[in-house]
Amino acid sequence: MPSAIHVPSAPDRLKRLPLTRPDLRLLDAIGQCGDLAEAARRAGLRAPAAERRLDRLDQVTGLRLALRDARTARLSADGARVLVAVRRFFRQVDHAVQTEIYGRGTEALNAPRILDIATAEPLIEDLVEDAADTLGILLSVSHDTPPRVLRQLDGYRVDAAHTWGLAPLSHTVDRTVRAYDVLDDPLWVILPLGHPLAGRDTVSLSDLRDENWVSEAGPGGEVLVSQVYRSAGLTPPDRIQVAEASVARGMLRRGDAVGLGSPACPAVFAPSLVRRSLRERPRRVAGLLVDPAVVPGALALQLAALLTDRCLSRFTERHGDMLRDPWWADWLRGQRAELARRTEDAAHSLRTPPALPAESAQVDVEDLRLLRAVADHGSINRAAAVLSISQSALTRRIHRLELRLGARLLLRSSRGTELTAPTRQFLGRLAAFEAELQAAGLMGRGEAVPPKEPGGSPQRRGHRAGVERPGRDGRGPARRAVAGRS
């Protein structure tokens, strides 16, 4: 009889994995519609059964996943985080099945139906219907500052982030992400119409050093105006008020300060304001960061190109007067040429369509437990004893799984049963996926659910460090709205 196969293992954690695929579908449906009966219907359940399932999930996770009353249900902040993290887990499993068991390549990944995305630029609101029409996905959008947008991505709260920075964006998060350029984003200055320099076509940063500035903070906490001055070899202004984007736009509109604008920023329009080119030509980078385990490369390329196209279209519509400056006209031509190249790359990526198995062929938690038991104990007989089922029953269940997947998972011989090499590789990767869930505090919690407060609202409760991060520095989660058409 062959000895046990040494595969990284966590059978107890797998046994307590809090969500199965049907559970994930229920949470996904609640996130989409907010109506309990409709969410249950989409998940293939009756409303009472959906409520019982949610009660069970609350109990095994120790978290209040959905806020409910008699008719409505919406995800809590914990529920939204769990949805993103467990969705990522199952998509990683699907991806590993394709790449390890089927050997279909690293991009064998289907596009998600709903993409959770955080953005530092309200411009993305214009994209939700375009994404539904042209890419066939819905965008669930939350807006926040650049640092908080990246914290949402880093904390597994969203699948993608659209933001800007003055350094490579992929270096600003502590998890595996893939970065896509959206725009090489040059900056101009916004001045009151009566400003002494408003009559010039181009002004210098050095001439504006004594002004009262308003500035955003970048993803790493750096102040945009200060960094722009330092990059130009100049001392930053003494008077800089750091504010969120909406506050900064309000201050500029009232003429309380001067500030920076760009093609990717929301436009600030008022008869009392003018835009002027800066002689130093400062720039920032607007980009898209995605979780490669959830967002296939072809979709990310298309979404980044859609963002770029919308930025450039808005620039020409609202800032066409700047194209009288040859520098800006050359910049626009270069960006359009780069967009055409990236659009062609995205179209080429789609010529080899992803090939994940149908839903009936997906591997669920119970399937993983069976394979893990065989890997850990080296034989069907010993694995069956651990799982408290008969050897013949375990053999039939694994055989049905092989038929469902259309792939051989076990090698059977007179000497015993062992996993195929691709199946061992698959389980080796599975251990890393489980570790991510454990790090996110989503496996093996088994805590009691906090009692409901009057009116059905959950009590606030602490969690392990690094697990619960408020969306707005302690003021609750960022506002989320699902947009698009189904």
Side-chain angles (χ1 to χ4, degrees):
M1 192 71 64
S3 60
I5 301 166
H6 298 290
V7 177
S9 173
D12 292 336
R13 292 205 307 270
L14 252 182
K15 189 173 182 179
R16 296 194 299 268
L17 180 68
L19 273 78
T20 63
R21 289 187 189 268
D23 298 331
L24 182 62
R25 284 196 293 272
L26 176 59
L27 288 185
D28 205 359
I30 290 172
Q32 292 179 49
C33 65
D35 180 90
L36 183 58
E38 174 61 18
R41 186 192 67 79
R42 295 186 186 189
L45 300 169
R46 294 184 182 274
E51 289 201 80
R52 288 193 297 272
R53 179 166 290 184
L54 289 171
D55 289 339
R56 177 182 63 80
L57 293 176
D58 287 350
Q59 189 65 37
V60 299
T61 61
L63 303 171
R64 184 77 64 194
L65 301 183
L67 308 178
R68 294 174 271 160
D69 58 27
R71 295 188 177 183
T72 65
R74 60 185 177 86
L75 294 179
S76 66
D78 284 326
R81 177 173 59 86
V82 168
L83 174 63
V84 169
V86 179
R87 178 194 293 154
R88 171 183 167 82
F89 172 80
F90 281 119
R91 291 187 69 83
Q92 285 177 310
V93 169
D94 290 340
H95 198 187
V97 168
Q98 283 291 306
T99 56
E100 303 298 344
I101 294 179
Y102 294 136
R104 298 300 294 268
T106 58
E107 291 300 332
L109 190 68
N110 283 332
R113 290 179 302 163
I114 295 181
L115 185 66
D116 292 287
I117 183 169
T119 177
E121 304 290 4
L123 172 67
I124 202 171
E125 286 284 13
D126 297 340
L127 294 175
V128 289
E129 292 197 3
D130 288 345
D133 289 338
T134 63
L135 305 183
I137 62 167
L138 302 177
L139 297 180
S140 177
V141 183
S142 61
H143 296 283
D144 220 319
T145 62
R148 294 170 187 159
V149 161
L150 290 175
R151 282 204 294 271
Q152 287 193 60
L153 182 64
D154 199 24
Y156 296 94
R157 295 176 181 270
V158 293
D159 306 312
H162 168 234
T163 187
W164 60 268
L166 300 170
L169 290 173
S170 59
H171 297 167
T172 56
V173 293
D174 294 329
R175 56 176 291 198
T176 301
V177 296
R178 191 174 295 169
Y180 296 84
D181 291 337
V182 170
L183 200 66
D184 172 21
D185 198 24
L187 302 168
W188 57 67
V189 66
I190 301 171
L191 302 170
L193 184 61
H195 193 279
L197 300 177
R200 300 185 185 180
D201 292 331
T202 303
V203 299
S204 173
L205 288 169
S206 60
D207 296 330
L208 299 167
R209 187 181 173 282
D210 295 329
E211 298 293 329
N212 182 35
W213 281 88
V214 63
S215 176
E216 292 182 69
E222 69 276 12
V223 177
L224 177 61
V225 168
S226 296
Q227 289 296 100
V228 164
Y229 267 82
R230 291 193 183 99
S231 297
L234 301 171
T235 303
D238 294 326
R239 293 179 293 170
I240 304 178
Q241 180 167 340
V242 181
E244 295 186 3
S246 58
V247 175
R249 290 196 299 273
M251 291 180 64
L252 292 172
R253 185 177 295 275
R254 295 194 314 180
D256 295 340
V258 301
L260 298 174
S262 79
C265 283
V268 181
F269 287 105
S272 59
L273 299 176
V274 296
R275 301 175 303 280
R276 294 294 179 258
S277 298
L278 286 165
R279 191 169 299 131
E280 292 82 2
R281 305 298 183 191
R283 299 167 185 258
R284 63 179 197 172
V285 176
L288 177 70
L289 297 175
V290 305
D291 181 341
V294 175
V295 186
L299 174 61
L301 281 170
Q302 286 181 298
L303 186 56
L306 200 58
L307 283 162
T308 302
D309 181 68
R310 184 49 60 95
C311 289
L312 296 178
S313 297
R314 176 170 286 203
F315 171 73
T316 55
E317 291 168 5
R318 301 193 176 186
H319 306 289
D321 58 316
M322 298 196 73
L323 296 177
R324 293 194 295 266
D325 183 333
W327 187 91
W328 281 99
D330 289 341
W331 171 83
L332 181 61
R333 281 192 293 271
Q335 294 297 303
R336 285 290 186 193
E338 175 65 16
L339 174 61
R341 183 192 64 77
R342 289 198 279 127
T343 301
E344 183 177 351
D345 289 345
H348 177 74
S349 297
L350 292 177
R351 291 171 192 158
T352 306
L356 280 174
E359 184 172 329
S360 62
Q362 291 176 334
V363 177
D364 208 345
V365 175
E366 187 61 23
D367 303 322
L368 298 175
R369 286 186 60 214
L370 300 181
L371 294 177
R372 178 71 79 197
V374 176
D376 287 341
H377 301 285
S379 75
I380 289 285
N381 189 31
R382 289 197 292 266
V386 171
L387 295 170
S388 299
I389 60 178
S390 68
Q391 179 178 347
S392 59
L394 178 56
T395 301
R396 286 194 302 271
R397 289 168 67 173
I398 293 180
H399 181 59
R400 285 197 297 268
L401 177 59
E402 289 180 318
L403 292 176
R404 184 153 51 89
L405 294 177
R408 175 169 290 187
L409 305 176
L410 299 178
L411 297 175
R412 302 172 180 87
S413 68
S414 57
R415 295 180 300 168
T417 303
E418 61 179 333
L419 296 173
T420 64
T423 307
R424 289 198 301 271
Q425 292 169 353
F426 164 74
L427 290 175
R429 294 186 62 188
L430 176 63
F433 309 155
E434 295 163 10
E436 280 192 4
L437 277 182
Q438 186 183 36
L442 301 180
M443 299 183 71
R445 294 180 62 89
E447 301 173 9
V449 176
K452 293 183 180 179
E453 295 179 347
S457 299
Q459 294 178 346
R460 294 292 297 169
R461 53 180 283 149
H463 299 295
R464 292 197 298 267
V467 173
E468 175 62 23
R469 302 179 188 175
R472 290 187 177 274
D473 288 349
R475 291 180 288 166
R479 178 180 59 84
R480 179 179 300 277
V482 177
R485 291 193 289 272
S486 55

